[in-house]
Amino acid sequence: MSKAFDTVNIHKLTSKLLLTDVPDTIKKFIANYLRGRQAYTVYENKTSKQKLIKFGVPQGGVLSPTLFNLYLSDLPNPPENVQLESFADDLTTISSHSIVAQAESNLQPYLDKIYNWTVENNLSLNADKSTATLFTLDQSETDKKLNLTINNVLIPTVQHPKILGLTFDPKLNFLEHQKNIIDKANNGLNMMKALTSTAWGKQKETLVTTYKTIIRPALENANTIWSPTVCKTNLEKLQVVQNNALRIATGCTKDTNIQHLHEETLVLPLKEHLQLHASLLKHKSNHSNHPLHTLFKNPKPGRLLRKTIFNNKEGTIEPRLSLYMSPEDSIKCNLKTIHSTIVFKYTSAFKPNKIINQIAPSISDLERTLPRKTRRILSQLRTGKSPFLIQYKNKIDSQNNPSNLCPLCKLVEHDTGHLFNCPQIPTNLTVSSLWIDPVGVSDLLEAWSLRLGVEGTL
């Protein structure tokens, strides 16, 4: 609907409000809230005359969405073979049938009813801004144009409608949606790059929070719908975006292994993260008051359908409800169990860190007191891939760095372990100090920088 919130008839809205069971005092309050509103414009310190607002609910008002839902409450109910889904001023009508023409015949009369209702209620239903989509596995029907109209105006047929941020497609494999969210997330990475560099920038925790707040929501948008059907290739493409974000946050090199990136940032890989979302939503739907409870209890379909979180046991974790607790308490307890189970399953599969030949310990919180540049080098050293090391320079550019030996003792390779064992710079620190004593290691790195004649390394 076009400008739906602005064209609500206040008198009709008040009349519908009076028919509800809302207490009379609240009815009067809301009626006074809606009537008599005035607006004016200020331009170059001059104020226009006030004008009475006769239509619309207050823009940005906390009551406006609820009032608009009330205004739509007497929208005609769909017939038995048609389904209606609505969110604010977006209406979606659906009909399923093996014969396309029959599905059209089911929908068209209801579309006419909706249009007539909008005319009676001062709302504008726009055919040009509406779309029709045929969902089918028959390749020959993919390009078929649907014959559906609003006020005798043909509704455009599209293959990739966007509903509440989710891009659909005829085969419901959501490939177009995944492509769109990757493009959107990659644009967000440019913002992260602007917040940091090799020598300056925000701390790792701030950058990780930025990723979780701005970029990852784009990657996981509506994931409980499309994650059960996502193919391995597309999931890997989504994971690449997260890997790039974590490299920016930690400052690690491009050849750093993925496990190390997630260890450093305490972030779950997208596969486990999406499984967590799906499992939590599925378990919440156990409750009889949950909006998706009917889907949870649906019997097994008689025909082959796309996987969802409700018919995909392999993609979710399903703890049993306790017989000794109320459903609410049992579900709340199991939500924590689901989270800890997925995290434990992932972390228990960790491979030993090659620098210390064991599972890496937790990083000391004292590292947060160090400057960004120092923390970046520490993150790189914990995986043995840092330009601070002569061995690594030799590996990536042997022409300009022909030797990988320590320039001080000239005995062994200049790798992470040698920083703590070189006789020329004795220390009581060990390689494990990279995790448990990062402040002490920063002093050691400063000593190395002075001996190597590298100014401004830290």
Side-chain angles (χ1 to χ4, degrees):
M1 289 180 281
S2 301
K3 299 182 179 180
F5 278 64
D6 295 330
T7 57
V8 168
N9 187 305
I10 294 177
H11 297 292
K12 287 182 178 291
L13 175 58
T14 304
S15 298
K16 294 179 182 183
L17 176 64
L18 294 175
L19 297 176
T20 66
D21 295 330
V22 175
D24 290 341
T25 53
I26 297 180
K27 290 178 181 177
K28 292 178 181 179
F29 176 85
I30 296 176
N32 290 331
Y33 169 69
L34 292 172
R35 293 174 178 172
R37 290 185 298 116
Q38 294 182 328
Y40 61 90
T41 303
V42 178
Y43 178 69
E44 292 185 351
N45 296 324
K46 294 182 180 180
T47 304
S48 68
K49 294 181 180 180
Q50 292 188 358
K51 186 175 182 180
L52 184 66
I53 298 176
K54 300 179 181 180
F55 295 92
V57 292
Q59 288 289 332
V62 293
L63 282 179
S64 296
T66 303
L67 292 173
F68 187 77
N69 286 340
L70 172 63
Y71 197 67
L72 294 184
S73 61
D74 58 348
L75 193 71
N77 291 324
E80 184 178 353
N81 48 18
V82 175
Q83 183 179 345
L84 172 67
E85 301 293 341
S86 64
F87 184 86
D89 56 351
D90 288 328
L91 304 179
T92 303
T93 55
I94 310 164
S95 181
S96 178
H97 203 280
S98 57
I99 301 175
V100 178
Q102 184 60 52
E104 291 176 329
S105 298
N106 295 339
L107 280 173
Q108 187 58 59
Y110 186 54
L111 291 178
D112 295 336
K113 285 185 178 181
I114 292 178
Y115 174 75
N116 293 333
W117 180 91
T118 58
V119 172
E120 294 173 2
N121 287 270
N122 298 98
L123 297 176
S124 176
L125 197 63
N126 196 329
D128 294 332
K129 292 185 178 180
S130 302
T131 62
T133 301
L134 175 62
F135 298 99
T136 177
L137 294 177
D138 189 342
Q139 191 66 32
S140 63
E141 294 179 335
T142 302
D143 297 326
K144 183 179 178 63
K145 301 296 182 182
L146 297 173
N147 185 26
L148 294 169
T149 62
I150 293 177
N151 193 25
N152 296 321
V153 178
L154 186 67
I155 302 174
T157 301
V158 300
Q159 291 191 355
H160 301 292
K162 194 171 185 178
I163 304 175
L164 301 180
L166 177 61
T167 304
F168 290 81
D169 52 81
K171 294 185 178 181
L172 291 177
N173 53 25
F174 300 103
L175 297 180
E176 189 70 17
H177 176 75
Q178 291 151 26
K179 177 183 176 182
N180 291 341
I181 61 178
I182 289 174
D183 293 339
K184 185 176 181 180
N186 280 327
N187 291 333
L189 292 181
N190 295 328
M191 180 185 60
M192 284 189 66
K193 292 176 182 177
L195 295 175
T196 186
S197 181
T198 57
W200 58 270
K202 298 296 181 181
Q203 290 285 31
K204 176 177 67 177
E205 291 76 20
T206 301
L207 293 170
V208 171
T209 300
T210 301
Y211 165 70
K212 290 180 178 180
T213 307
I214 298 176
I215 300 175
R216 191 168 69 179
L219 289 177
E220 64 184 16
N221 181 33
N223 68 87
T224 51
I225 296 176
W226 54 261
S227 62
T229 65
V230 64
C231 64
K232 182 179 179 181
T233 302
N234 281 346
L235 184 58
E236 289 174 350
K237 292 178 181 178
L238 296 172
Q239 183 62 51
V240 166
V241 177
Q242 175 163 296
N243 295 344
N244 290 336
L246 300 186
R247 286 192 182 94
I248 295 171
T250 60
C252 288
T253 57
K254 290 184 178 180
D255 55 351
T256 301
N257 70 80
I258 308 306
Q259 177 183 309
H260 179 73
L261 294 175
H262 291 82
E263 279 183 331
E264 288 279 312
T265 56
L266 303 178
V267 174
L268 278 175
L270 280 178
K271 180 180 178 181
E272 284 73 17
H273 184 71
L274 298 180
Q275 184 188 31
L276 175 61
H277 273 283
S279 300
L280 292 176
L281 179 60
K282 184 176 182 180
H283 194 66
K284 287 178 183 178
S285 67
N286 270 297
H287 199 288
S288 58
N289 292 334
H290 196 278
L292 300 181
H293 184 66
T294 55
L295 296 178
F296 186 86
K297 295 298 182 180
N298 272 353
K300 188 175 181 179
R303 59 191 179 93
L304 183 62
L305 298 176
R306 289 290 186 192
K307 286 184 178 180
T308 70
I309 62 174
F310 297 99
N311 62 14
N312 182 24
K313 292 185 177 181
E314 297 178 359
T316 56
I317 293 176
E318 302 177 44
R320 295 181 179 180
L321 294 176
S322 173
L323 298 176
Y324 307 100
M325 302 170 66
S326 67
E328 294 85 353
D329 292 339
S330 181
I331 290 174
K332 186 182 295 186
C333 180
N334 283 344
L335 294 181
K336 297 180 181 179
T337 302
I338 290 172
H339 184 276
S340 58
T341 300
I342 291 177
V343 172
F344 176 77
K345 183 178 179 181
Y346 171 65
T347 55
S348 61
F350 276 176
K351 296 179 180 179
N353 183 282
K354 293 182 179 180
I355 304 301
I356 54 178
N357 295 318
Q358 65 182 43
I359 300 299
S362 299
I363 301 172
S364 171
D365 288 338
L366 292 176
E367 186 184 282
R368 300 190 183 195
T369 63
L370 299 173
R372 159 74 181 177
K373 190 173 183 180
T374 303
R375 296 188 67 186
R376 175 176 170 270
I377 295 176
L378 290 173
S379 293
Q380 294 172 348
L381 292 176
R382 284 192 280 261
T383 190
K385 297 178 179 179
S386 172
F388 192 86
L389 303 171
I390 304 300
Q391 178 212 41
Y392 184 75
K393 288 183 177 181
N394 170 260
K395 178 181 177 181
I396 62 175
D397 186 9
S398 59
Q399 185 174 355
N400 294 320
N401 300 276
S403 175
N404 63 1
L405 297 179
C406 172
L408 299 183
C409 67
K410 296 181 172 42
L411 297 175
V412 294
E413 291 183 352
H414 187 257
D415 56 13
T416 299
H418 186 67
L419 294 176
F420 302 88
N421 296 303
C422 182
Q424 297 296 320
I425 304 182
T427 179
N428 293 326
L429 299 173
T430 64
V431 181
S432 297
S433 300
L434 285 166
W435 286 266
I436 61 179
D437 188 11
V439 176
V441 175
S442 70
D443 294 335
L444 176 64
L445 295 178
E446 188 67 39
W448 271 97
S449 298
L450 293 173
R451 290 294 300 274
L452 294 175
V454 182
E455 296 182 359
T457 300
L458 299 180

